[in-house]
Amino acid sequence: MNTAPLAATLLAGLTRLVTGVQARWLCAAPTAAPRVYFANHTSHLDTLVIWASLPPSLRVRTRPVAAADYWGQPGLHRWLATRVLNALLVDRSGGGGSREALRALTLALDAGDSLILFPEGTRGAGPVIGELRPGLYFVARQCPMIDLIPVYLQNLSRILPKGEILPVPILGSATFGAPLRLEPGEDRDTFLNRARAALTALGEHA
């Protein structure tokens, strides 16, 4: 018996219940077209909140990008990542692994899937958006017709502080902003600064 679909439904409902998250769409509502959702990263809840904010029909085609060295380990982590969330596991060791990771991301987008990325690379300590790593730029360059949707997540680090396992009853929010695309001739640093500014601006109005 395949229990993953039921587990996905229960997990989405539990995420909304625990976080009380309100999804605000400042951009057009999500469609079946593939997108890249990129967000600030402060909590283990981040991926679940973006994923649970989507309609069920799109949730099954939206793949969180996760580190294979952690989420690929046998056991509950791997089952949750690969069977319930349909995560795309990538090698983050750099070098050839980075090229293979980029290829996996572009193949998923070409297949019609959307992706969830956290371009800061690691969890931040507060509301300030850290420098964005270049992976988002390389995805934008490889897939210039794909919309990149900035998502600002608020209060999730307060709901589930680092090192804690019990949530705090505070309301969270996910604000989905206007789509970005790589502009003709735009260099890496200019694009990454623009993407970071888009996240920062969403935070100021969240």
Side-chain angles (χ1 to χ4, degrees), residues 2-178:
N2 183 9
T3 60
L6 177 59
T9 299
L10 294 175
L11 182 59
L14 181 62
T15 298
R16 291 192 294 268
L17 177 65
V18 168
T19 64
V21 70
Q22 300 293 318
R24 299 173 57 215
W25 293 89
L26 303 184
C27 62
T31 67
R35 290 173 159 184
V36 174
Y37 299 98
F38 69 97
N40 58 312
H41 193 20
T42 62
S43 169
H44 283 311
L45 293 170
D46 295 343
T47 295
L48 293 177
V49 164
I50 296 174
W51 175 79
S53 296
L54 300 173
S57 61
L58 301 183
R59 201 181 298 146
V60 296
R61 297 300 305 270
T62 301
R63 307 185 66 184
V65 178
D69 59 317
Y70 180 78
W71 291 101
Q73 295 296 321
L76 181 60
H77 276 167
R78 182 178 179 86
W79 180 80
L80 178 64
T82 60
R83 299 293 302 279
V84 179
L85 297 176
N86 191 27
L88 180 59
L89 303 184
V90 298
D91 180 358
R92 57 180 179 181
S93 61
S98 296
R99 290 189 292 273
E100 287 303 311
L102 178 60
R103 183 172 182 272
L105 268 57
T106 56
L107 286 174
L109 291 168
D110 288 343
D113 292 333
S114 292
L115 301 175
I116 298 173
L117 291 173
F118 297 97
E120 291 173 283
T122 187
R123 282 188 289 171
V128 177
I129 308 296
E131 297 291 335
L132 304 190
R133 296 187 178 183
L136 184 66
Y137 166 77
F138 292 125
V139 171
R141 190 175 67 177
Q142 289 292 111
C143 304
M145 302 308 294
I146 295 291
D147 283 338
L148 312 173
I149 309 296
V151 186
Y152 186 82
L153 302 171
Q154 187 175 43
N155 283 342
L156 300 190
S157 62
R158 297 173 63 197
I159 294 171
L160 189 65
K162 190 172 183 178
E164 300 293 330
I165 59 173
L166 295 178
V168 177
I170 300 172
L171 294 180
S173 67
T175 303
F176 295 75

